[in-house]
Amino acid sequence: MTRRLLLSYLSLMALVLLALEVPFGFVYARNELNRFSHTAELSAVTLASVCEEKLEHGRASDLPAFARDYARRTGSGVVITDRGGTVLADSADAAAVGTHLAAQPDIATALHDRPATGIRDDLVPGVKVLFATVPGGSGDTVPCVVRTLYPLTPIAEKVHATWAALGVVGLAVLAVVALIGSALARWITRPLRALERATTQLADGRLTDPPATDRGPPELRRLTATFTRTATRLQHLLHAQQAFASEASHQLKTPLTSLRLRLENFEPHLAACAQDSLGDAIDEVGRLSRMVQGLLALARLENAAITPEAVDLDAVVADRAAIWTAFAGDQRVGIAVGGTKVGRVWAVAGALEQILDNLLSNALGVSPPGTTITLATAIATADDGSTVELHVIDQGPGMTAADRQRAFDRFWRAADARHDGTGLGLSMVQRLTRAGGGDVCLNAAPGGGLDAVVRLRPVPTVRARSHSAAHRKIPPLRSSSATGSRPITGTAPGAEP
């Protein structure tokens, strides 16, 4: 902004200088030419009077020497003719004596007792001259005509020197304006630069260097003061929300756990007809506990300053497939891994594991026995470059187009969804994916079922092969076998019907 302000100052001053100096230069050049022409004409009139006097006294032989002497002293050229236009003397060419010039326009005009002045470039070879041709008498007859020729080189040099002086003055003025404008622009933009730094710090999660409120123009001082108050208030609210997100989990887990234990303690004392209601109540308490944990996880995601990092997607897919194979085997559902090697992608630390856990949990909940859940990776070409796609494909009942549009809304669950879902799993998947610069969508899988597509940004070092972004043929699958089991982290059932 400093450069733009300085450029505006210089542009405005340049326009002012052009509006003043250019007309002044042209007016000066015209006035100098008029003055020079008037002086030349007066000198020619004086010279013509002397020549007339010499002719009247019969001293025509003195004219050549007189013309040469005048030309030497004034740096001009002199041509003197008689009343018929015949050259009597020529300071530049003595051989021209006797030449008849009555046909030339300026000589003809002077022979009719009228002076003529102007600029011509054919009177002296290669030189543009100012001529002043005047008659040598004021009576009915013109005894002689005098033509004086003055080169325009001196006046041109003077005009050029004046233009150069105007240019130097203009550059000096622009330099002074640049110095003053630079200082003024820095003074004006200093609060804005401080606001930019403060805004960047606030976006990163903490305002450590608040901008000064006593610098710059009054308007920017008021803006800075307002921003500081707003940022302080916002930080207070964020800190309060973060404190709630960190403390609520500890405060809510205890009563929910206690409530579940008390309900389970009722089991020996209830009649058989009430056992089903007690089981439903315990299930609802468990669902409430999972919902609270999901809400707290989302709150922590929204409040934390998240920085993506390079993660090996192939390794994460293989790891989660191996872990979930054991759980899927209990329901007679297979898990297969397919696609191409994609290498590293940008993602938040630990996000890919949670994304896969949620999507696999949803897919496993709707997959009939004897079916297969497919994990496939591919490289696709998008408008802004290549992207990495992770597909989680099940063979369940699928979802309608309207349901797929609403599936990422918090707490939304399809009408035929399983009872213990919280409606937060897909919301968390979307938030985690977008935190790493990617996106997620749900498509209908070929042959039935649902295709959850997670699009991620590849790390620049990955050499990606272009594939079609539309329905592409997934390479042959690689079956995955369980390599062991460990607790599953970040699992939150979503809105899969």
Side-chain angles (χ1 to χ4, degrees):
M1 185 174 181
T2 302
R3 290 192 298 269
R4 288 192 291 270
L5 284 176
L6 182 58
L7 182 61
S8 65
Y9 298 152
L10 293 177
S11 301
L12 181 60
M13 183 53 63
L15 290 176
V16 173
L17 289 174
L18 289 175
L20 293 176
E21 291 189 348
V22 171
F24 175 79
F26 283 111
V27 170
Y28 175 80
R30 186 174 63 249
N31 290 340
E32 282 295 308
L33 183 60
N34 291 338
R35 185 183 63 81
F36 189 62
S37 176
H38 182 66
T39 302
E41 186 175 354
L42 290 178
S43 300
V45 169
T46 303
L47 184 60
S49 299
V50 175
C51 291
E52 179 188 8
E53 183 180 354
K54 288 182 179 295
L55 289 175
E56 288 179 354
H57 290 82
R59 294 158 52 187
S61 59
D62 294 340
L63 293 180
F66 176 71
R68 286 194 299 272
D69 182 64
Y70 181 85
R72 180 180 55 79
R73 286 187 290 106
T74 60
S76 62
V78 179
V79 177
I80 303 173
T81 70
D82 61 10
R83 67 184 63 189
T86 302
V87 176
L88 299 175
D90 189 343
S91 64
D93 186 8
V97 175
T99 305
H100 192 67
L101 301 179
Q104 294 193 7
D106 60 321
I107 299 295
T109 300
L111 289 174
H112 288 82
D113 198 20
R114 293 193 305 273
T117 59
I119 297 174
R120 291 174 63 177
D121 56 4
D122 59 341
L123 297 177
V124 178
V127 180
K128 183 178 289 189
V129 296
L130 171 71
F131 68 88
T133 306
V134 297
S138 58
D140 294 336
T141 61
V142 178
C144 66
V145 172
V146 175
R147 174 199 281 171
T148 56
L149 305 174
Y150 293 91
L152 291 178
T153 303
I155 190 171
E157 292 176 351
K158 190 175 182 180
V159 171
H160 291 162
T162 302
W163 277 110
L166 290 176
V168 171
V169 171
L171 291 177
V173 172
L174 288 177
V176 173
V177 171
L179 292 175
I180 298 175
S182 178
L184 182 62
R186 285 196 298 269
W187 177 72
I188 292 175
T189 58
R190 185 179 295 112
L192 295 178
R193 292 194 297 271
L195 280 174
E196 182 183 9
R197 290 193 299 269
T199 303
T200 303
Q201 293 175 4
L202 186 62
D204 292 336
R206 184 174 181 81
L207 180 60
T208 58
D209 184 18
T213 58
D214 57 349
R215 297 179 181 176
E219 297 82 1
L220 291 181
R221 294 183 186 183
R222 291 193 293 270
L223 175 63
T224 303
T226 303
F227 171 81
T228 301
R229 290 196 301 270
T230 303
T232 302
R233 177 63 176 167
L234 183 60
Q235 276 191 299
H236 175 74
L237 293 176
L238 289 175
H239 291 162
Q241 190 172 3
Q242 290 173 356
F244 169 79
S246 61
E247 296 174 2
S249 59
H250 300 288
Q251 300 298 326
L252 291 175
K253 286 179 181 179
T254 300
L256 288 175
T257 303
S258 177
L259 177 59
R260 179 166 185 165
L261 290 175
R262 291 179 180 274
L263 289 175
E264 291 175 349
N265 290 336
F266 286 148
E267 184 175 4
H269 308 289
L270 292 179
C273 59
Q275 293 294 328
D276 292 340
S277 297
L278 177 62
D280 292 341
I282 293 175
D283 291 341
E284 286 299 319
V285 170
R287 179 171 173 267
L288 178 60
S289 179
R290 292 192 299 274
M291 186 179 296
V292 169
Q293 292 178 5
L295 286 173
L296 294 175
L298 284 175
R300 284 191 293 269
L301 282 174
E302 293 170 351
N303 293 334
I306 299 174
T307 302
E309 60 183 35
V311 181
D312 189 343
L313 179 59
D314 298 318
V316 173
V317 170
D319 176 70
R320 304 322 290 176
I323 291 176
W324 277 88
T325 296
F327 294 92
D330 295 338
Q331 301 183 24
R332 293 190 296 116
V333 174
I335 294 182
V337 178
T340 60
K341 293 286 186 179
V342 295
R344 297 188 303 168
V345 296
W346 292 111
V348 177
L352 291 180
E353 290 82 357
Q354 296 186 52
I355 291 171
L356 278 171
D357 287 344
N358 279 282
L359 293 179
L360 286 171
S361 176
N362 289 343
L364 188 59
V366 299
S367 296
T371 60
T372 301
I373 299 173
T374 302
L375 300 179
T377 53
I379 299 175
T381 301
D383 294 338
D384 56 350
S386 61
T387 61
V388 172
E389 291 185 352
L390 169 62
H391 296 257
V392 180
I393 307 171
D394 63 58
Q395 297 176 340
M399 299 175 68
T400 64
D403 287 346
R404 292 198 300 270
Q405 290 293 329
R406 298 191 57 192
F408 295 102
D409 296 342
R410 292 186 183 182
F411 303 112
W412 184 86
R413 299 171 66 241
D416 55 348
R418 65 193 190 208
H419 182 69
D420 59 346
T422 63
L424 293 175
L426 289 178
S427 296
M428 186 177 298
V429 168
Q430 186 182 60
R431 179 67 180 86
L432 288 169
T433 304
R434 291 180 176 177
D439 203 357
V440 60
C441 64
L442 301 178
N443 298 325
L450 193 68
D451 180 8
V453 184
V454 179
R455 295 186 176 91
L456 302 166
R457 295 183 299 125
V459 176
T461 54
V462 176
R463 294 185 177 270
R465 290 180 299 172
S466 176
H467 292 265
S468 172
H471 294 293
R472 60 181 57 79
K473 181 178 179 181
I474 298 175
L477 303 179
R478 306 188 302 273
S479 299
S480 173
S481 59
T483 59
S485 62
R486 62 174 183 265
I488 300 174
T489 60
T491 303
E496 179 80 3

